[in-house]
Amino acid sequence: IMYPAMTTDLSINMPQQMVSPGFIRTLAATSIVVMRRRVQERGRNLQDQQMAPYAQMTRQQRRKRGRQTAYRDLTDTGRMMGGIHVASVTRVGASGYQATVGFSTAYARQTGATHQERDPWFGLSRDDRRTLTAFVQQQLPIELRKQMDKRSQ
């Protein structure tokens, strides 16, 4: 089940002959990792800025549970971040693919939406896109070789 109220699309404009849907799925899964790291490890929002700090009461509660409080990481139980997944990979016209990333549970979607309203975080920031571009530049030659090998068989 996909909860479409919170999704982001990753449009990749490459000839379909150059890449496989599996490569696009890998790219989308990598985007989830990159987004999680931005939020969980650095407390950054969609504009690559530090998110607003936790309220004093929230910091106290998090401290009691052994959670970090130096920055807002949107992680307590891990259910919201763990609920982010690649929902679909579809063809877009004759020239590319589109991957949709969303939440796999109503809880994750609702929690994500609440945090999104407070400080937008869900999606790809400028730094996230740079990281993914580097990933594609590294992985695309490997993918192209795979596709060429398939055609020559």
Side-chain angles (χ1 to χ4, degrees):
I1 297 174
M2 227 276 289
Y3 296 90
M6 280 282 293
T7 62
T8 190
D9 292 325
L10 306 171
S11 295
I12 309 295
N13 291 317
M14 287 183 203
Q16 292 172 2
Q17 309 89 304
M18 290 180 66
V19 296
S20 67
F23 179 77
I24 300 302
R25 183 169 291 281
T26 298
L27 181 58
T30 302
S31 76
I32 294 169
V33 171
V34 169
M35 179 174 53
R36 282 181 184 152
R37 285 183 178 163
R38 171 177 40 85
V39 173
Q40 293 178 307
E41 295 176 9
R42 297 185 330 231
R44 301 283 178 173
N45 63 23
L46 203 48
Q47 288 73 43
D48 294 310
Q49 301 296 314
Q50 198 68 39
M51 284 193 256
Y54 287 115
Q56 183 63 32
M57 181 179 280
T58 303
R59 278 197 305 271
Q60 290 172 352
Q61 292 170 348
R62 285 179 61 85
R63 233 180 259 120
K64 284 180 186 177
R65 291 192 310 275
R67 306 290 191 268
Q68 72 82 26
T69 59
Y71 56 89
R72 181 181 292 272
D73 64 7
L74 307 185
T75 304
D76 190 26
T77 65
R79 289 172 51 202
M80 179 189 75
M81 289 291 186
I84 302 171
H85 72 122
V86 179
S88 65
V89 174
T90 55
R91 289 180 186 243
V92 178
S95 63
Y97 290 100
Q98 182 174 24
T100 301
V101 173
F103 292 92
S104 58
T105 67
Y107 171 85
R109 179 195 44 80
Q110 183 56 51
T111 305
T114 298
H115 288 301
Q116 186 79 357
E117 288 173 16
R118 180 181 174 109
D119 199 345
W121 65 277
F122 186 77
L124 296 175
S125 72
R126 180 175 285 167
D127 285 349
D128 294 344
R129 290 179 188 280
R130 284 187 195 121
T131 300
L132 287 172
T133 297
F135 174 81
V136 169
Q137 288 172 342
Q138 177 190 27
Q139 294 298 312
L140 189 56
I142 297 166
E143 175 68 8
L144 292 175
R145 278 194 300 273
K146 284 182 190 175
Q147 295 303 317
M148 290 176 69
D149 289 346
K150 275 185 181 179
R151 276 187 247 136
S152 66
Q153 292 177 354

